[in-house]
Amino acid sequence: MRPVAVIGAGKTAFGAFPDRDLRTLSVEAGQKALHNAGVAPAQIESFYLGNFAGPAFVGQNHLAPYVSTALGIHGVPSTRIEAACASSGSAFFHAWTEVAAGVYDIVMVVGVEKMTSQTTPRVSEILAEAGDCSGEMRAGNTFASLFAMIARRHMHDFGTTREHLSAVAVKNHRAGALNPDAHMRKVITLEQAMNGKPIADPLNIYDCSLISDGAAAVILVPLDRAHEFGSKPVRVLGIAQASDYVALDQKADITTFPAVRRAGEKAFQMARVAAGDIEFAELHDCFTIAEIIALEDLGFARRGEGGPYTAAGCTGLKGARPINTSGGLKSKGHPVGATGVAQICDLVQQIRCEAGERQVARHSLGLAENLGGSGATCVVSILGAA
C-alpha cells in the first residue's frame, strides 16, 4: 500500500441557505479544493460523493455524476457512498483505499447535505431512517431519544452529570464562535447550556447538533507525487472503518460503541501511534454524550471519565488535548453527508497552521472520528504533517 496525502481541501460555510441547492454547495466546496490543490478537473481520475439522504431531502437521485459533471469532471468512476452521518468519512476511506492500492493517483471526495429544504419534523423522520425502522423507529424513537437513553445509562453507570454534558456544549460553542464557517457562532454560558429547551430528557437543545446545509471536499494523491502540486501536503497516517448493530437493543452495552473502538484500534495500529500521541481531534458530537463516549472509546479518557475530563478543561482550545476546535457538529453545524470530509478539512487547516484564531499550539498529529447512526458505522482517520 502506498502512502497517501491530502493535497487540497475546501468547504462552504455551514448554515441554513434557502437560496442554495445541493449541487451549488458541492461545486463551491469542490472548486475550492481543486484550487487549493492546484489540480484541474480533467486531472481527477476517480470521484466519490458522501451523501446520506439527498433523494429524501431534495428529491434527486444519481447524485455522484450529478455533482462530478457540474465540477467539470467527466468520464471517470463517480460513486456515491451512504453510511448515515458517516457517509463522507466512508467516502474518504474508500478514496484512500483506491490511492493506497495504486488503482488511481488523483481522487476527489465531496461530502454534501442540503437539509433545510424540509421541515424539522420531516428532517427528524429522514434521519430516523438511519436507525432500525422495524423496531426502534416504529416505536416512535428519534436519534435524540436514542442518545438520551445512552446519556441516561452513562449517568447511571458512571455518575456523569448534566454539568458534564453542558461543558461539552459550552466548549464547542466557544470554538465555533471563532470559526467564520460555523453555522452558530454563539458563545453560551454553562447556565444557558444547563437550562435549554428540553428535547429528550436528559438532553436539551444545547446538547443536540444543528440541521444544516453545507459541503466539503478533499483531493488525495500518492505521497510521492504530492510535490508536483502547489499545496502543503498532509499525510494520511492511519485510517479504518468499522461497523456494529444498528439497533440499541442489540448492543450489549449502550455506553460504548464497539465500532469506534475497533476503528480507532486499527487506525492507531496503522499510524503506529497511541491515543496519548494525538495532539488534537475532531470528534462526532451529534449529541454532547457522543463526544464524551468517543473520548473514552478512543482512549483519550478512562471509561466513565469523559465528562469530568471535559469539565476540567482538558479538551478546550488551550487544553491538554483540544477537541473540536472547529466548533464540532454542535456549533459548526451538521449537514450529515458533509460532516466526515469537513472534519478532514479541519484537521488539514490545523496541521497547516491555517486555523486562524482557533489555531492550537500542538498541531502535527490529529484524529477525526466520524460516527454513523447510534454507533453502527465509524470511520477514524489520523493525519499528520507530511
Side-chain angles (χ1 to χ4, degrees):
M1 302 290 276
R2 301 183 296 180
V4 176
V6 175
I7 59 164
K11 55 186 174 180
T12 68
F14 286 2
F17 306 122
D19 58 336
R20 303 291 302 276
D21 61 19
L22 179 148
R23 184 157 55 181
T24 61
L25 291 166
S26 301
V27 168
E28 179 188 338
Q31 287 177 339
K32 286 180 176 178
L34 289 165
H35 177 75
N36 186 249
V39 170
Q43 293 176 276
I44 300 297
E45 300 170 10
S46 181
F47 178 88
Y48 281 91
L49 182 75
N51 175 263
F52 165 54
F57 283 128
V58 303
Q60 176 66 50
N61 277 290
H62 213 174
L63 282 166
Y66 181 75
V67 171
S68 61
T69 54
L71 280 163
I73 300 167
H74 301 281
V76 305
S78 189
T79 307
R80 174 188 168 206
I81 300 289
E82 185 278 306
C85 300
S87 292
S88 62
S90 181
F92 181 75
F93 171 75
H94 284 81
W96 168 85
T97 301
E98 278 194 337
V99 177
V103 179
Y104 295 108
D105 274 10
I106 307 176
V107 179
M108 186 175 199
V109 187
V110 172
V112 65
E113 209 74 65
K114 169 68 179 176
M115 302 175 72
T116 64
S117 53
Q118 301 291 338
T119 64
T120 297
R122 178 59 182 145
V123 170
S124 295
E125 290 177 359
I126 293 169
L127 293 174
E129 292 169 3
D132 179 12
C133 294
S134 64
E136 293 172 335
M137 304 311 165
R138 189 176 180 183
N141 279 295
T142 64
F143 276 107
S145 66
L146 294 178
F147 275 88
M149 290 185 223
I150 292 168
R152 182 60 68 194
R153 187 71 204 188
H154 204 275
M155 289 172 157
H156 176 273
D157 288 356
F158 303 110
T160 301
T161 66
R162 267 282 345 150
E163 288 87 347
H164 294 149
L165 298 176
S166 295
V168 174
V170 170
K171 180 261 301 180
N172 288 351
H173 273 268
R174 187 178 295 122
L178 302 175
N179 182 354
D181 294 326
H183 187 163
M184 186 174 286
R185 300 184 66 189
K186 174 184 177 181
V187 174
I188 60 173
T189 66
L190 184 63
E191 183 180 4
Q192 284 176 298
M194 291 278 292
N195 294 289
K197 176 183 176 182
I199 299 297
D201 188 62
L203 305 181
N204 67 42
I205 196 164
Y206 287 114
D207 294 297
C208 306
S209 57
L210 302 164
I211 295 172
S212 308
D213 305 329
V218 293
I219 296 171
L220 299 90
V221 301
L223 182 62
D224 62 9
R225 289 196 59 188
H227 68 280
E228 299 175 24
F229 306 93
S231 63
K232 304 172 187 175
V234 173
R235 184 170 175 178
V236 181
L237 296 169
I239 185 169
Q241 178 172 331
S243 60
D244 190 32
Y245 296 108
V246 170
L248 286 191
D249 67 356
Q250 293 181 290
K251 303 177 192 293
D253 182 348
I254 64 171
T255 66
T256 180
F257 296 137
V260 176
R261 298 200 313 270
R262 292 189 193 106
E265 289 165 2
K266 291 179 180 179
F268 286 133
Q269 184 178 22
M270 183 184 298
R272 298 181 180 179
V273 300
D277 299 317
I278 300 297
E279 296 171 342
F280 68 101
E282 290 289 320
L283 302 185
H284 195 100
D285 59 320
C286 49
F287 299 92
T288 50
I289 186 62
E291 179 172 319
I292 288 172
I293 290 176
L295 287 170
E296 298 169 5
D297 283 343
L298 291 167
F300 297 145
R302 291 181 181 178
R303 186 83 191 280
E305 296 183 6
Y309 185 77
T310 301
C314 300
T315 60
L317 286 174
K318 303 294 185 182
R321 182 179 289 107
I323 301 294
N324 287 330
T325 66
S326 66
L329 286 59
K330 181 66 206 70
S331 176
K332 177 181 65 177
H334 185 29
V336 291
T339 289
V341 170
Q343 290 179 321
I344 300 300
C345 290
D346 293 321
L347 296 189
V348 169
Q349 280 187 313
Q350 286 287 353
I351 292 168
R352 289 176 170 176
C353 291
E354 297 173 352
E357 294 181 88
R358 299 171 292 113
Q359 184 64 51
V360 295
R362 299 170 65 242
H363 52 79
S364 62
L365 190 65
L367 177 147
E369 175 251 353
N370 188 200
L371 191 72
S374 50
T377 300
C378 184
V379 183
V380 173
S381 306
I382 299 173
L383 273 61

